Amino acid sequence: HMPDKAQFVSELCRVLRPGGRLILVAWTHRDLTEGEVELKPKEEKLLQRISQAYYLPRWCSVNDYISLITAKGLGGIKRGDWT
């Protein structure tokens, strides 16, 4: 459970050997559509209930993780949705 996603990704990249493979499996919320700046209130309320039940920090989307990872210079990203 990583409250600071940027710090988490930085640490992943720091310990990843050159040419290594990173596999990240995480609970995420849906990606926002173009023009959206936040989740719908109903979605936020549901995520808050889940977070409280499992002591989770704020959620982010897969696109958020991809942005953090590419900002660190990693490429060749593949993503999957296991819902």
Side-chain angles (χ1 to χ4, degrees):
H1 302 213
M2 303 77 52
D4 186 333
K5 307 299 191 240
Q7 181 182 1
F8 168 64
V9 169
S10 291
E11 187 63 10
L12 290 175
C13 294
R14 185 186 71 79
V15 300
L16 186 66
R17 69 182 168 112
R21 181 175 294 177
L22 169 66
I23 298 174
L24 175 64
V25 179
W27 286 13
T28 59
H29 65 65
R30 68 174 176 82
D31 291 327
L32 299 178
T33 59
E34 190 172 327
E36 279 187 309
V37 294
E38 59 187 16
L39 294 171
K40 297 173 183 160
K42 184 178 179 180
E43 295 169 323
E44 284 286 355
K45 185 176 180 179
L46 176 59
L47 290 178
Q48 286 175 0
R49 288 180 62 206
I50 294 168
S51 294
Q52 288 174 350
Y54 294 101
Y55 305 100
L56 300 172
R58 180 128 180 98
W59 298 48
C60 68
S61 70
V62 173
N63 280 344
D64 293 334
Y65 274 118
I66 290 172
S67 294
L68 291 168
I69 291 167
T70 56
K72 290 294 181 184
L74 298 182
I77 296 172
K78 298 177 185 174
R79 66 181 282 177
D81 183 350
W82 296 354
T83 56

